[in-house]
Amino acid sequence: MKYGALFALCAMTGAAVAQPMAEPAAATVEPNGVWPPPGAQPQQQKAPTRATFVSTGEQKWDVWIDQQPACATPCTLGVMPLNFVALRSQERNPIRLDVGYLPQGDLMVSAKPLSNGMYASGIVFTTFSGMALATGITLTAIGCSTDRDGMCTAGLITGVAGGIGLYGSIYLMRKALPKARVERAQPYIAANQVGVAGSF
């Protein structure tokens, strides 16, 4: 009995020696006290976009960044990728142009105001071409249904001409509307001058 107890005590001691407690490995903690996940790469903040805002006419535009006024054309700003950009004309009833989110790089944002002469011409042409289209439809319906070949032919010609004129008038009005254009700007260095070049 004595030898059996002694043998059991030696076996327990041997098991304890065979499995020593490992010391915890030293870990690096970030300055903010947060453990970085395994394999995590440090995130690099994206550089802001260098955007130059100009107007193609005499009218000036206010540049709004995230619904906050930032500057008036012409001006240059550093815009982050998540900033929403819009332009507003400086008039009693301002026109808003949504530019959206800008890509990275050097950009030229140009605002084109309303072309009053082109828009007025589009309205006049739309009126007359619409009347021609309505007249052509009427003549075609009456002439072709009553076997009057002359009236039917005149209605077809008038209707086709009115339809083409109406399409062109609407295109003219759309082209006259104010719009914003975003394009790449090329930096240049000249004698005592540094800036960006673009077509506007």
Side-chain angles (χ1 to χ4, degrees):
M1 187 69 180
K2 181 186 301 183
Y3 293 105
L6 182 60
F7 179 75
L9 181 61
C10 292
M12 293 175 61
T13 306
V17 173
Q19 298 177 358
M21 182 179 295
E23 296 182 358
T28 303
V29 182
E30 295 294 323
N32 56 5
V34 179
W35 288 73
Q41 298 294 333
Q43 297 182 355
Q44 296 181 355
Q45 188 176 8
K46 294 183 179 180
T49 297
R50 180 182 174 86
T52 301
F53 300 90
V54 297
S55 175
T56 59
E58 298 180 356
Q59 179 181 350
K60 288 191 174 183
W61 297 77
D62 293 327
V63 181
W64 288 63
I65 307 295
D66 289 338
Q67 299 183 358
Q68 297 293 331
C71 66
T73 58
C75 62
T76 301
L77 294 175
V79 183
M80 299 303 296
L82 296 180
N83 293 141
F84 188 85
V85 181
L87 301 174
R88 288 188 182 181
S89 59
Q90 295 181 353
E91 52 189 354
R92 178 174 298 179
N93 296 320
I95 299 173
R96 173 175 171 173
L97 298 176
D98 290 334
V99 180
Y101 302 100
L102 299 178
Q104 287 186 302
D106 292 331
L107 302 178
M108 176 79 73
V109 181
S110 56
K112 184 184 79 67
L114 175 68
S115 300
N116 295 317
M118 187 183 298
Y119 191 77
S121 300
I123 293 177
V124 174
F125 293 154
T126 300
T127 302
F128 286 106
S129 58
M131 294 172 58
L133 179 61
T135 303
I137 293 175
T138 303
L139 293 177
T140 302
I142 297 175
C144 295
S145 61
T146 57
D147 294 332
R148 296 180 180 180
D149 295 337
M151 183 180 293
C152 181
T153 303
L156 290 174
I157 295 174
T158 305
V160 171
I164 296 175
L166 184 62
Y167 176 82
S169 302
I170 295 175
Y171 174 78
L172 193 65
M173 293 174 62
R174 289 176 57 88
K175 190 175 181 181
L177 293 176
K179 60 178 63 69
R181 184 173 62 180
V182 180
E183 56 188 353
R184 295 290 177 181
Q186 299 295 331
Y188 69 88
I189 300 177
N192 300 327
Q193 291 182 349
V194 178
V196 292
S199 60
F200 59 90

